[in-house]
Amino acid sequence: MFRAQRQGKTSFYMKCTGEEAVAVAAAYALDYEDMCFPSYRQQGLLIARNWSMVDMMNQIYSNSADRLQGKQLPIMYSVKEAGFFSISGNLTTQYPQAVGWAMASAAKGDTRIAATWCGEGSTAEGDFHSACTFASVYRAPVIFNVVNNQWAISSFSGFAGAESTTFAARAVGYGIAGLRVDGNDALAVYAATAWAAERARTNQGPTLIEHFTYRAEGHSTSDDPGQYRSAGEPTAWPLGDPIARLKAHLIALGEWDEDRHAAQDKELAEMVKAAQKQAEANGVLGHGLHQPLDSLFDGVFEEMPWHLKEQQAQMIAEETASGRPWARK
């Protein structure tokens, strides 16, 4: 998808390279029915929950099969069926939403919990602190994940307070349990998330987990990390690549080997290539608009207000009269 963006097939993409363990390991530690309120670098949650890559690519391309009808920026997925709440480009809005969902689940006597993710820089947002206050007071069954990947867009984590204390320490002031784990160790992420999930499910309250990891690539396709960090920094990161570390660990245990890993790499590359071909058959963003213009009214309200119904009808009439191809038949 990064290459597709460079080829003009879509407008925007954000990699999760170096941070895969944060989302994937957590997904396996949670129940499938638990609700995830992600930021924009946890696409691994959907992949780990076996969601269709074709569907994800359709959304990135904003094509005719995009379930969100082109209403979201690329990679800002929304999959209710997989417990994946709509991604928002506004930082940390998902935190109070996760707390509210968790409170409602508890009020209904449900055993489902909520988990949410944000970057370390956005812990400076007011929404983060409002969420911590409500979660603490109401003992909401929620897991707060702070992904400390060292860089908040082009600002080092120190600007967000990392030089004063850990981000996990922010839990103390709210009376919330706080952990700091190696975010590049899939087993550590799994263990911490499983512990936090058990606390939430047994009415012991929220947990904040700081995942100490590293953003190996740019913030997005719009970013050039070479402008603000040294070229050798990604390869010098002492905690290493999470996939390479898990591979080495499993080989040392005798549970994996180089030949199987090479075969898996080939299999997955072919799988992604086939998914991309299937998604591109539905169109790409670079080819223009793929949804009827009047569909911009759909899916916004559960019941469309009367004035929007009038506007939609007016648009359809004008489109039909003008003979434009986007009028709904």
Side-chain angles (χ1 to χ4, degrees), residues 8-9 18-19 22-23 30 43 65 71 74 87 93 118 136 151 158 162 201 230 252 261 266 284 307 317 327:
K9 295 178 179 178
E19 302 177 39
V22 171
L30 296 168
Q43 51 265 67
K71 292 183 173 70
I87 295 176
T93 55
C118 76
S136 175
W151 291 98
R201 250 181 269 280
S230 62
H261 195 83
K266 182 179 179 181
V284 298
H307 65 287

Side-chain angles (χ1 to χ4, degrees), residues 1 4 8 18 52 87 96 98 115 147 161-162 169 175 233 235 260 265 284-287 311 319 325:
M1 291 294 96
S52 164
I87 295 176
V147 184
E233 186 178 295
T235 55
R260 278 190 285 178
D265 277 350
V284 298
L285 184 60
H287 292 167
Q311 292 177 30
E319 290 288 307

Side-chain angles (χ1 to χ4, degrees), residues 25-314:
Y28 286 108
L30 296 168
D31 289 347
Y32 192 91
E33 292 74 23
D34 292 335
M35 193 68 177
C36 297
F37 291 77
S39 180
Y40 37 63
R41 223 178 294 277
Q42 283 81 53
Q43 51 265 67
L45 290 168
L46 282 175
I47 295 172
R49 288 186 167 187
N50 295 318
W51 194 252
S52 164
M53 282 194 294
V54 175
D55 186 79
M56 295 172 72
M57 290 178 177
N58 286 333
Q59 195 278 323
I60 292 168
Y61 287 138
S62 300
N63 60 27
S64 59
D66 175 13
R67 62 171 45 240
L68 305 182
Q69 299 179 303
K71 292 183 173 70
Q72 279 275 55
L73 280 169
I75 66 89
M76 293 192 178
Y77 314 107
S78 176
V79 187
K80 184 178 181 180
E81 302 91 324
F84 193 94
F85 196 79
S86 304
I87 295 176
S88 172
N90 298 316
L91 299 178
T92 326
T93 55
Q94 67 273 21
Y95 258 58
Q97 292 163 350
V99 173
W101 191 96
M103 289 169 60
S105 178
K108 292 189 296 184
D110 203 332
T111 59
R112 294 183 297 168
I113 65 172
T116 184
W117 289 257
C118 76
E120 83 281 357
S122 54
T123 60
E125 294 283 337
D127 282 342
F128 173 85
H129 299 281
S130 296
C132 288
T133 298
F134 270 82
S136 175
V137 171
Y138 293 100
R139 298 180 67 84
V142 62
I143 303 172
F144 295 129
N145 294 283
V146 176
V147 184
N148 181 2
N149 63 15
Q150 314 306 309
W151 291 98
I153 305 185
S154 59
S155 299
F156 180 61
S157 61
F159 285 97
E163 293 178 345
S164 301
T165 185
T166 66
F167 291 98
R170 300 197 173 189
V172 176
Y174 294 101
I176 294 174
L179 296 173
R180 193 186 206 213
V181 300
D182 179 351
N184 285 23
D185 182 345
L187 300 180
V189 173
Y190 179 91
T193 305
W195 182 79
E198 178 66 17
R199 292 188 75 252
R201 250 181 269 280
T202 55
N203 196 33
Q204 296 181 62
T207 304
L208 188 153
I209 305 173
E210 176 188 352
H211 302 270
F212 197 72
T213 181
Y214 185 76
R215 194 193 77 209
E217 302 282 350
H219 178 72
S220 71
T221 49
S222 303
D223 178 39
D224 177 11
Q227 297 296 313
Y228 54 84
R229 68 185 189 191
S230 62
E233 186 178 295
T235 55
W237 179 243
L239 297 183
D241 178 87
I243 297 174
R245 285 180 58 180
L246 183 60
K247 170 190 170 185
H249 178 70
L250 292 173
I251 290 176
L253 292 177
E255 300 291 341
W256 197 237
D257 57 59
E258 293 287 356
D259 290 341
R260 278 190 285 178
H261 195 83
Q264 178 185 254
D265 277 350
K266 182 179 179 181
E267 178 188 356
L268 295 179
E270 291 173 351
M271 184 189 302
V272 171
K273 185 177 180 180
Q276 182 179 17
K277 184 177 181 180
Q278 186 177 342
E280 289 186 0
N282 299 316
V284 298
L285 184 60
H287 292 167
L289 188 65
H290 293 277
Q291 301 288 340
L293 284 176
D294 65 286
S295 69
L296 64 90
F297 296 94
D298 297 338
V300 181
F301 294 91
E302 184 176 6
E303 294 184 12
M304 191 184 300
W306 66 268
H307 65 287
L308 291 186
K309 289 181 179 178
E310 286 188 358
Q311 292 177 30
Q312 184 182 45
Q314 182 181 0

